[in-house]
Amino acid sequence: MQRDLQDALGDAAKPAQKRSDSRPLASVQAVLAPRLVALYGVGAVLMAEVQVGQQAYLYVRGQPFPAGYVGDAGVYQLRGMNGACVQLERGEDRHSLCLRMLLGGGQP
């Protein structure tokens, strides 16, 4: 029993990156990548709902920041929107999210 206890304590003291239960960085980045949830409206009146992690944002065509986040450098800014795609940018991080991705298709 002592040996089992020492083994268990030894495993708990190992750094997180050496443990088998640590998650790869890529999976964390995938969860935090923006995801198009819905597009609403027609013509010039378009809105896009985008989820980043557990936070939802509503972008309105012609407005760079999502509703309620004017001037917040920590959120993605809207760089373009048409009937099928939304282009977002935060510093060097750029994403193009399209309806076909929402419906299970690949990258645009």
Side-chain angles (χ1 to χ4, degrees):
M1 273 177 53
Q2 260 185 335
R3 176 77 176 181
D4 290 339
L5 180 59
Q6 288 173 345
D7 289 344
L9 290 175
D11 286 345
K14 288 180 184 175
Q17 66 266 27
K18 297 201 181 208
R19 281 193 231 158
S20 61
D21 66 341
S22 62
R23 293 184 181 162
L25 182 58
S27 66
V28 172
Q29 289 173 335
V31 169
L32 296 178
R35 186 173 62 90
L36 181 62
V37 176
L39 279 173
Y40 308 102
V42 292
V45 184
L46 284 178
M47 293 176 280
E49 186 178 337
V50 175
Q51 187 168 354
V52 181
Q54 293 185 348
Q55 183 68 39
Y57 299 94
L58 181 65
Y59 290 90
V60 179
R61 185 181 207 174
Q63 302 295 320
F65 291 96
Y69 291 89
V70 176
D72 188 344
V75 299
Y76 285 95
Q77 291 184 28
L78 180 65
R79 292 297 178 213
M81 183 186 299
N82 60 34
C85 294
V86 176
Q87 292 79 36
L88 300 176
E89 178 180 296
R90 181 173 62 192
E92 296 296 317
D93 193 12
R94 294 181 175 93
H95 296 273
S96 183
L97 311 172
C98 296
L99 281 178
R100 68 174 171 234
M101 293 167 60
L102 177 65
L103 298 173
Q107 293 287 343

